[in-house]
Structures are given as C-alpha cells and as structure tokens.
Amino acid sequence: MSPQETIAIIVAIVVVIVIIIVVAVLVGRRRRVDANRRRATEIRQDAGDTALAAKEQEARAIRAQADAKQAEVDAERLRREAAERQDEAQAHRAQADEQLRKADAVDPDVRTTRAGDRVERDAEPATDGRTTL
C-alpha cells in the first residue's frame, strides 16, 4: 500500500468519524429539543389545570358569598316575622286582659277598682282614694 492510499484511508476514516460525531450531536440536539417541547407541553397542561382549579375556587367563593347574603336576607325576614308575631301576641294578651276585666266587672263575686283591676279577697282595701265596687 502506498503512502497516498494510507493517507486516503486515514482521511476517509477521519471524515467518517467527523460525520458520525456531527450526526450524534444533531440527533442529541433533536432529542433535547423534542424533550423540551414535551416538557413545555406538560408545564402548559399543569398551568391550565391550575387555572381551572382557580376558577372553580372563585366560583365556590362567589357561591359562598351569595349563600351568606341569602342567609342575611332570610335572617332579616325572620326577625321581622318574629317582631310581627310578638306584636300579635301582645295584642292578643291585651285583648284577653280586657276580656278578663270585663268579666270581673260583670261578676258580682269579684271586687274591682274603678280602673277595673281585680282586688283579691284577702287584700287590704285601697288607701289611695280609690274605692271598690
């Protein structure tokens, strides 16, 4: 083998090695790029999931605020109903007291003051100038 053939073989081997290195670098780079694309896709998916969870949490918060507002409205309505019923109860109590006074005024066995208040049998006679019937 001549020195020129040896040099040609060495150059060919070096060229093949360089081509293999270049291909390996390009394949490695492509794999890294593809891996980065996949990772970016995963990160975007996670971000989307997080954003969706945030929207769900906001919706729950809005619902809770609405429930609280409704509870306030219901409580106010119940307070008003309670006040109305208390007024009705007082009116009925006053009516019952008035009916008892009338009954006492008509009953010959019951002593009353001029104001219509019942005087108990064992009670002392009124000393304030009021007389009993």
Side-chain angles (χ1 to χ4, degrees):
M1 201 180 286
S2 73
Q4 288 179 340
E5 291 176 341
T6 305
I7 291 176
I9 291 174
I10 291 174
V11 168
I13 291 173
V14 169
V15 168
V16 169
I17 291 173
V18 168
I19 290 174
I20 291 172
I21 291 172
V22 168
V23 168
V25 168
L26 291 176
V27 169
R29 183 171 182 208
R30 176 174 231 140
R31 284 184 183 165
R32 278 192 306 275
V33 167
D34 288 345
N36 285 342
R37 280 191 184 112
R38 282 191 303 275
R39 181 68 183 133
T41 300
E42 291 172 5
I43 291 171
R44 285 187 185 96
Q45 182 65 40
D46 290 346
D49 292 346
T50 301
L52 181 60
K55 285 181 182 180
E56 289 173 344
Q57 192 65 25
E58 288 168 350
R60 281 190 216 107
I62 290 169
R63 263 182 275 166
Q65 288 174 338
D67 289 347
K69 185 66 175 173
Q70 184 63 47
E72 290 173 6
V73 169
D74 292 344
E76 179 59 27
R77 181 178 43 77
L78 289 173
R79 277 191 287 276
R80 288 181 184 182
E81 286 179 16
E84 288 174 12
R85 290 183 180 164
Q86 183 65 32
D87 291 346
E88 289 174 8
Q90 288 175 347
H92 286 295
R93 193 173 301 114
Q95 183 181 7
D97 288 346
E98 182 60 30
Q99 288 172 337
L100 288 175
R101 277 184 242 247
K102 285 180 182 178
D104 288 348
V106 174
D107 190 344
D109 296 328
V110 175
R111 292 179 22 193
T112 59
T113 64
R114 285 187 184 168
D117 296 328
R118 181 182 270 218
V119 177
E120 298 299 323
R121 292 194 185 273
D122 295 338
E124 293 288 323
T127 59
D128 60 357
R130 295 187 291 178
T131 60
T132 58
L133 296 176

